Amino acid sequence: MAYPARVLLASVMIALSAGVRAEAEEAKPPNVLFIAVDDLRPELKSFGQEHMVTPHMDALAQRGRAFSRHYVEAPTCGAARYALLTGQYPKRNITYSNAAFRLYQDGVAPPSFPQIFRENGYHTVQMGKVSHSPDGLRDDQDRIAEVGIDNTYNNAPHKHFTNPEDPELPGAWDVLITPVGKWQTAWGAFFAYDRGETRRRGHSPPVEAADVDDTGYPDGLMADRARQLLGELGERDEPFFFAVGFYKPHLPFNAPQKYWDLYERDAIDISHVDPLQRRGGEMINSYGHSAEDFDDEAHVRKILHGYYAATSYVDAQIGKVLDALDETGLAENTIVVLWGDHGFHLGENGIWGKHSLHEQSLRSPLIVRVPGMPRPGEMADGIVASVDIYPTLMELANLPMPEHLDGQSFAAMLEDPKADPIGFAVGFNFPRGGPTQALRVDGWRYIQGDGLYDRKNDPNERENVAEAHPELVERMQAQLQEILDRRKAR
Ligand SMILES: [Ca+2]
């Protein structure tokens, strides 16, 4: 495919017109900046959500291609990130869960795309939460045993040490670097509260507004370190693949006060909130509030306000990194991908959290900017999935396409937003009772064991219309089965 050549040509032309020598541009493959954002809903101004203050992600969408219908494979961090990074659908039970990355230690996981970049001469750097753990490192079992806590990050995050010698993605990174500041460990930073405090499960509040600057929470530290690092990466001879994974807006919804001040709590729309259905889960069990609190409109507004503040906070940090890319001149030869690891119900379907096969859990923002791309700023509305990102990156960087991939490249949609989309997305979940899947096609969502939803007339998926459309259900069941049967064996 001629696309990467055209990208290079475009940057050469820019360089020539600016009177700059072109040889280096011709020779150097494109860098990649991959930005992962945790639990980010597609609730951005550039995605039609006018109430949001997200100028930096919006600016990226303006200069690149935003995908209005991008779906992840799984509604939980570890499984979604494993599917993205391996380019494969969940298949074994473990790949439906946060423990998916263990397969790398078992030696049965396929090569991740950062590993492919590294094997092809890229300098690869990881910061923050890209795989599942918040610094890309596995637990340090010996140190955890020494401090004598029970072995979950949920209960004592500030004592849950990771091992610098033991990455979750072996072979993928030249450098892993995550600033943890006053929070002592990456898990402590992941659940950060003001002044170095971290979450005490079941006690800490679900939201916090501290009167601090951006570095009062870890994403601000990460943004500053990423800016500095980009300067260093630009000095190297080889191209770079830099992945930075921000923690917010993942719970707790903590952000500096100034981001809370961007929203007026009483003006927040709560019409999408349905009566609470799921009484347990991360949101309700892990923080100092109860299911009954969600009957209270003031509490609901506070939670939504926190999510919006945390979203605007992370948006500002993303802006700093993108600014650094411009200031260093690297933007001219760097592909940027911004990816949300899954969605989040903020009361839709009576759910506060993820772990469902509904639209709210599976749809997330995706923005891709390729230097010199045609028609920047035009949104692509066709359906694409996270497993399609791996083959797309291989095509854009002109790297060999591995055989284990389940997805397909959507590079054509970067040239033309109206190009044929992938057209379907499969979601995988593992509730009690075993693995369950969902199929999303234009106009419809079908969830195994649950029902059929009319996306055009029922955007919040409140009514199961399977009985009225038995033939469609049968057709979608068959399509889903065919996709599942095709899953690659590796
Ligand atoms: Ca997540």
Side-chain angles (χ1 to χ4, degrees):
M1 166 119 190
Y3 190 58
R6 203 174 307 170
V7 170
L8 286 176
L9 183 65
S11 41
V12 169
M13 289 176 73
I14 290 165
L16 283 172
S17 65
V20 180
R21 288 188 311 135
E23 298 98 70
E25 294 285 348
E26 269 179 303
K28 203 167 180 180
N31 307 304
V32 180
L33 172 65
F34 191 97
I35 302 171
V37 192
D38 208 356
D39 291 17
L40 180 68
R41 288 158 59 100
E43 196 164 4
L44 311 176
K45 192 164 191 176
S46 45
F47 281 62
Q49 304 295 314
E50 291 293 327
H51 57 286
M52 293 304 293
V53 184
T54 49
H56 303 283
M57 290 188 274
D58 300 339
L60 180 64
Q62 201 55 44
R63 295 170 65 183
R65 181 85 63 244
F67 291 82
S68 69
R69 290 194 293 173
H70 160 260
Y71 297 91
V72 302
E73 278 63 45
T76 188
C77 308
R81 289 160 185 262
Y82 184 85
L84 165 86
L85 288 160
T86 61
Q88 283 199 326
Y89 291 135
K91 177 173 43 177
R92 301 174 173 87
N93 287 354
I94 193 173
T95 53
Y96 285 71
S97 78
N98 278 338
F101 287 95
R102 246 189 258 155
L103 291 179
Y104 277 99
Q105 277 63 47
D106 297 344
V108 295
S112 63
F113 61 77
Q115 182 179 338
I116 302 288
F117 277 97
R118 186 165 183 246
E119 287 171 355
N120 283 276
Y122 278 71
H123 180 70
T124 60
V125 183
Q126 196 273 20
M127 179 185 293
K129 181 169 169 179
V130 177
S131 46
H132 179 247
S133 95
D135 57 1
L137 298 170
R138 285 160 41 85
D139 297 349
D140 187 333
Q141 300 293 359
D142 294 341
R143 282 190 80 188
I144 290 170
E146 265 171 42
V147 294
I149 58 164
D150 79 27
N151 191 18
T152 71
Y153 56 78
N154 271 318
N155 290 337
H158 62 296
K159 292 182 179 173
H160 200 86
F161 297 98
T162 53
N163 181 352
E165 305 301 319
D166 194 6
E168 279 187 314
L169 286 178
W173 308 114
D174 289 305
V175 178
L176 293 102
I177 179 170
T178 300
V180 301
K182 52 197 165 195
W183 293 278
Q184 303 178 52
T185 67
W187 283 109
F190 185 68
F191 293 112
Y193 286 81
D194 184 24
R195 287 180 282 190
E197 295 287 316
T198 185
R199 188 179 78 180
R200 290 184 305 125
R201 199 177 187 201
H203 297 281
S204 300
V207 302
E208 181 183 79
D211 195 9
V212 292
D213 68 17
D214 288 359
T215 56
Y217 293 107
D219 281 346
L221 298 180
M222 257 194 269
D224 286 355
R225 187 72 187 84
R227 283 177 65 89
Q228 184 188 353
L229 195 67
L230 278 169
E232 297 164 21
L233 292 174
E235 299 298 313
R236 300 184 70 93
D237 290 333
E238 70 271 54
F240 65 80
F241 179 97
F242 178 26
V244 53
F246 288 107
Y247 299 157
K248 291 297 121 184
H250 189 289
L251 277 165
F253 301 155
N254 298 350
Q257 179 66 46
K258 64 178 170 179
Y259 297 99
W260 289 76
D261 295 342
L262 297 171
Y263 301 92
E264 194 186 331
R265 188 173 296 186
D266 289 340
I268 291 174
D269 181 10
I270 58 167
S271 62
H272 63 277
V273 176
D274 295 323
L276 191 70
Q277 293 292 320
R278 194 193 280 167
R279 302 182 69 79
E282 179 185 14
M283 169 72 93
I284 301 193
N285 289 346
S286 300
Y287 296 89
H289 57 184
S290 69
E292 286 68 34
D293 289 331
F294 286 82
D295 296 334
D296 177 7
E297 192 180 308
H299 190 73
V300 164
R301 285 184 184 282
K302 182 169 77 179
I303 300 287
L304 287 168
H305 193 177
Y307 187 86
Y308 296 164
T311 299
S312 291
Y313 168 58
V314 79
D315 177 75
Q317 309 322 306
I318 290 165
K320 293 176 189 173
V321 179
L322 295 175
D323 285 350
L325 210 57
D326 285 331
E327 290 156 11
T328 52
L330 289 165
E332 281 183 19
N333 195 35
T334 300
I335 296 166
V336 180
V337 180
L338 184 136
W339 175 78
D341 72 339
H342 48 75
F344 200 90
H345 292 254
L346 288 173
E348 296 94 348
N349 315 98
I351 300 170
W352 290 85
K354 42 219 186 191
H355 308 142
S356 90
L357 288 176
H358 285 290
E359 187 87 355
Q360 301 297 345
S361 272
L362 294 171
R363 183 168 159 249
S364 83
L366 173 67
I367 305 172
V368 181
R369 187 176 73 79
V370 181
M373 71 192 293
R375 300 167 70 176
E378 291 184 40
M379 194 170 238
D381 293 320
I383 294 175
V384 299
S386 289
V387 287
D388 304 320
I389 294 173
Y390 191 144
T392 304
L393 284 174
M394 294 298 104
E395 185 175 341
L396 291 177
N398 211 8
L399 296 178
M401 195 70 76
E403 287 184 0
H404 72 267
L405 304 178
D406 281 326
Q408 306 163 56
S409 170
F410 54 76
M413 296 171 80
L414 298 170
E415 289 201 79
D416 174 4
K418 304 274 193 263
D420 280 348
I422 305 303
F424 67 87
V426 183
F428 300 77
N429 199 15
F430 206 110
R432 252 171 284 168
T436 307
Q437 286 84 24
L439 177 64
R440 177 70 160 87
V441 296
D442 194 31
W444 303 93
R445 169 175 298 285
Y446 166 67
I447 304 178
Q448 281 180 334
D450 177 19
L452 178 74
Y453 298 90
D454 179 345
R455 293 290 321 155
K456 288 201 174 72
N457 297 308
D458 179 21
N460 281 339
E461 299 182 1
R462 284 175 161 138
E463 191 190 356
N464 172 12
V465 294
E467 274 189 28
H469 303 275
E471 283 171 17
L472 180 59
V473 169
E474 202 176 313
R475 216 164 48 236
M476 288 187 74
Q477 266 173 345
Q479 186 183 353
L480 178 57
Q481 196 54 51
E482 194 195 314
I483 296 164
L484 297 178
D485 291 345
R486 268 206 316 262
R487 274 183 288 186
K488 296 286 169 69
R490 188 165 176 187

